[in-house]
Structure formats: structure tokens, C-alpha cells
Amino acid sequence: MVGKNDILDRVRNKALQDKIVTAEEAAEFIKPGMSIGTSGFTPSGYPKAVPHALAERMKKTPFKINLWTGASVGPELDGELAAVKGIDFRMPYQTNKDIQKAINTGEISYCDLDLSSSAQMARYGFMKGNKIDVAIVEAAAITEEGNIIPTTSVGNAPSYVQTADVVIVEVNTSQPLALEGMHDIYVPLDPPYRLPIPVVRPDTRIGTPFIPCDPAKIKYIVPSDVTDKVRPLAAVDDVAKKMAGNLIDFLDGEVKAGRMPQNLLPLQSGVGNVANAALSGFVNSKYEHLTVYTEVIQDGIFDMIDAGKLDFASGTSLTPSPDGQKRFYENIEKYKKKIMLRPQEISNNPEVVRRLGVIAMNTAIEADIYGNINSTLVNGTRMMNGIGGSGDFARNGYLTIFLTQSTAKNGDISSIVPFVSHVDHGQQVVDAIVTEQGVADLRGVCPRERAKLIINNCANPEYRPLLQDYYDRALKATMEKGVAHTPHILKEALSFHVRLAETGSMKVK
């Protein structure tokens, strides 16, 4: 158990050392109905000791708080607070199963947001509760001036520290001091005083290596040694390899056509197994001197660095597998030279994404035959995780690509459907869809042509006849009425989802 003496060397402001307390003492400060803003983006860099102590307190005296994070966080925060029914309102992204269940039963009010907008919405006072009462931030250290050195993520922590009435800092000794210097903290001014964000390359440094903080705001400092609970990534199987290969072939064509330089443009990839598999495809590709401007740094980034393929990667969070985490810590001096962590308001910023010409590669729950994408809701109602940063990049990327396997649940679900059950990304922003079956290049193509490309190139062969039959009948019916720009049979548009709900499969038996 880590104590006060274990973090004295990390709390470099001597006056602040008097504020070192136990997690239980700090948790007592939090009152029912408060809005709590925490560090953390994916299960990295989130506070652990104080949330655990708060959950233990809630077991004895039940009450609820509003929880604002950067994105998903680990079990000591989302999981434990959900288990004791301690969350009333949650934003802007999550992956914990207990949180998901509570959201879908209506126990927790959930605001799903584009990640680039969540920090400024908090600063604007738009969110429930209007302001953050307490910011809880994990730190590797506190500087002599009282500024905060983040750990393995930045997320929304700088804005939460800026706007909160009170700051609680968890100094985590499991996080190496070598993380110092990896961060670039920049918080834009709010309108009407906002200025251009001067990032012109992924490696441009525009801010400070710490989160600025008035020492007077720091109410408590809590010792912690609880590690990030990162999750394993699935092995890159044959289906994933085919998908990655199709992606690389598509980009090869772009370079050959003169639409991209030989080292491509900055890459962005979402979080998770499919996204990591997509990045893995670059390791054995011909491409060199690649750059990355993204949200999450996963194992695939380390692979690219080790292979000599990657010059630099900018993100907001380190989100490796357990093996990748160990690999990072053991080689931190090597990797930190090529990795920078920024606030998510900058890593996902539409202005910067558009300026750099980012190649946006994100995953989909499902796509329809016209190119609309559902990233969030299963069968249109059950929340999975949220939109995350996919919208930030999809709407502003130089090239917007969505990837998905053609089927799920052992073939009972087709990822290509007549019409998605929920639209997160309209067909207007989707440039290409990639599955293990192939690529549909949708640029400059009308909806009817899109349908042909998606059915023939991306759908699983088992579902192609069903999709083609639907499209043919929809085209005939709408042509007869003179309304065939985007052919649909309204009674059947969601027929795949109806079959799934009624029989457990989209197949016609």
C-alpha cells in the first residue's frame, strides 16, 4: 500500500505536500449531485484510488454523482461506481458492461458526444449541472509550480482542471516518471477570443508538457499505485488480414493515381481490434516515413515504430494491450521520442484534421447499401459504446474510410443491411467501406451506384442475394412512382433487423 512518504519526491511543490491525504479522506469531500470531471481516455490515465473509496462510501450511504470523463475509463471508476448505482449522468463515451446495462435500462442518463466537442461544452456550461465541481486527475508528478504532469492519457483533464472549483490529484507511483515530456497541453480560448490552432504537422508542439494548475485549487493529493487496467487485443486473424490487405491495396491505388504522396498522409485509426488490425497492415507494407494523427496509441503503433515505418504519432491516450503496455514501459525512452499526447480537443480537432489531410479509418457496427454508417446502437436501440471520435475524423478527413467484417455472431448478423437501424455518419461523408470481401469506393457516386458497389464488393456472399433482391424490388417500386433517388421499401427497410430480433438471425430460414 503506497503512502505519503512514497510520493514526496513526486510532489515537488513543498507547500502542497501538506495536502497529501488518504483516498478515503479525499472521497469524503464529494457530495451527492456533484459533477465530477476525471482524467482518463480508454482505460489509461484515469484516477483509481479515490473512485474506489467513493464507491465504498456509496455502499454504506447511497447517493449519485454526475461523471464526466475523456472517454471510457477503467473498472475502478466506471465499473465500481456503476455497481453501487452511484452515477446519475455520464458523458461522453464508455465501454464498461455495467455502465452499458444501466444506460440501456434507463438507470443512467447518457449523453453521447463527439469527443472533440465535450471539453468545450463543459467550459461553455452546456452540460447537466452547468459546471464541474471537482476534477480528479491522475498524475505522474506535480511540478514545483503546482502544475500537473499527466500519465498515460490527457483526454479532457486540462479543461476540467481549468473549470473545476476544486482539484484532487492522484499521484500514481505505478506510472513512470519518464512519461514527463511526452505531453503537449494546449486549451483553446473560447469564442469570441479563439485563435487558430497552430498544429501544422503531427509532431508540432504548441503547448506545455504539463497541465497548468493554480496550486490554490488543489484540495487534496492522494497516493496511488493501482495500474491501468488495459485490455488484451484479439489476434490478427485471417479475416482481419484480408481486411487490412484490402485497405492497403486501396491506398496503393490512391498513391498511383497521384492523390497522395508516397508516404501517404497522416493516419487516424479508431480504438479496438479491427482498428489495431488495420494499422498492423502497414507494418509489412511498402510504406515508410508514415505519420499518425489520432486518438489512441495501440500496439500497432509500436509495431510500426519497431519496423522503422513510423516517423511520429500524435494522440491523446496510450491504449495498448497488457503485453503492449509492458513493451512500452520497458522501451519508454525509445517510444517517447516518437509519441506525443495532447488534449482530445486538439487530437480530434476538426480544424487540425482538415488542415493535415488525415486519412480517417474507423469501425462500424453496420453499414447500409447506400453508405450510411451506424457506430453506436445495436438494432437501433441498444447503446454499445458511443460515437467516440469517429465523427470528428470522418466529417473532416481527407479520406474517410469505415471498416467492418462482413458478418458478426458466426454469420447470423450481416454488417451490410438495406438500411441502418441508426445513423451516426451519413452517406455524404463516407468515402469508402472496407470489409474482408473488398472495397467500395463511394466518392462521387450516386446512391443507386453506391448500392451496387457495396453489395457486390463488401457484403458477405451469403447475404448478397437478399440484399440484391431488396434493392431490385425497391428500385422497381420507386421508379414507378418517380421517387427513386434512394430506393427503399419502407415496410422492408429494417427487415434484416426485425428477423434478428424475432429469430436471433438475419438469415432467411
Side-chain angles (χ1 to χ4, degrees), residues 132-187:
I132 296 170
D133 297 295
V134 180
I136 310 176
V137 179
E138 182 178 86
I142 299 175
T143 71
E144 291 80 356
E145 298 77 22
N147 299 311
I148 299 168
I149 306 296
T151 59
T152 44
S153 72
V154 179
N156 284 333
S159 286
Y160 293 164
V161 167
Q162 177 180 306
T163 57
D165 295 332
V166 167
V167 177
I168 297 173
V169 182
E170 280 194 18
V171 176
N172 193 319
T173 58
S174 76
Q175 299 281 20
L177 285 169
L179 288 167
E180 186 169 357
M182 281 189 65
H183 310 91
D184 184 47
I185 309 302
Y186 177 95
V187 177

Side-chain angles (χ1 to χ4, degrees), residues 11 43 45 62 98 140 163 242 250 277 284 289 331 376 399 426 433 445 470 474:
V11 182
D98 288 333
T163 57
K242 287 180 182 178
F250 176 58
N284 297 314
H289 300 293
N331 299 278
T376 57
L399 186 60
I433 295 173
V445 175
Y470 170 83

Side-chain angles (χ1 to χ4, degrees), residues 213-250:
C213 183
D214 179 355
K217 265 193 175 186
I218 298 178
K219 180 76 173 177
Y220 298 116
I221 299 170
V222 175
S224 174
D225 61 355
V226 185
T227 58
D228 286 338
K229 299 301 186 295
V230 294
R231 297 181 289 261
L233 291 164
V236 181
D237 59 15
D238 289 341
V239 172
K241 287 178 182 177
K242 287 180 182 178
M243 196 184 315
N246 290 337
L247 172 66
I248 296 297
D249 289 344
F250 176 58

Side-chain angles (χ1 to χ4, degrees), residues 149 176-183 205 302 305 311-313 318 328-329 331-341:
I149 306 296
L177 285 169
L179 288 167
E180 186 169 357
M182 281 189 65
H183 310 91
R205 184 174 286 277
F302 303 149
I305 292 174
D311 286 353
F312 201 82
L318 290 163
F328 171 75
Y329 285 149
N331 299 278
I332 191 169
E333 293 299 335
K334 169 188 173 181
Y335 290 130
K336 71 183 288 186
K337 294 175 183 177
K338 296 198 172 188
I339 295 174
M340 184 188 298
L341 300 181

Side-chain angles (χ1 to χ4, degrees), residues 260-293:
M260 286 190 198
Q262 292 294 324
N263 66 331
L264 304 178
L265 290 163
L267 305 173
Q268 177 267 333
S269 181
V271 66
N273 296 319
V274 172
N276 193 64
L279 286 178
S280 72
F282 291 95
V283 174
N284 297 314
S285 74
K286 66 181 181 183
Y287 295 109
E288 297 179 341
H289 300 293
L290 294 165
T291 59
V292 167
Y293 196 84

Side-chain angles (χ1 to χ4, degrees), residues 375-411:
S375 297
T376 57
L377 295 170
V378 175
N379 257 20
T381 60
R382 181 164 69 87
M383 172 57 68
M384 285 289 288
N385 304 324
I387 196 169
S390 58
D392 299 322
F393 291 96
R395 290 191 288 272
N396 301 284
Y398 174 84
L399 186 60
T400 294
I401 303 167
F402 280 93
L403 301 99
T404 181
Q405 294 187 14
S406 65
T407 62
K409 300 294 183 185
N410 298 316

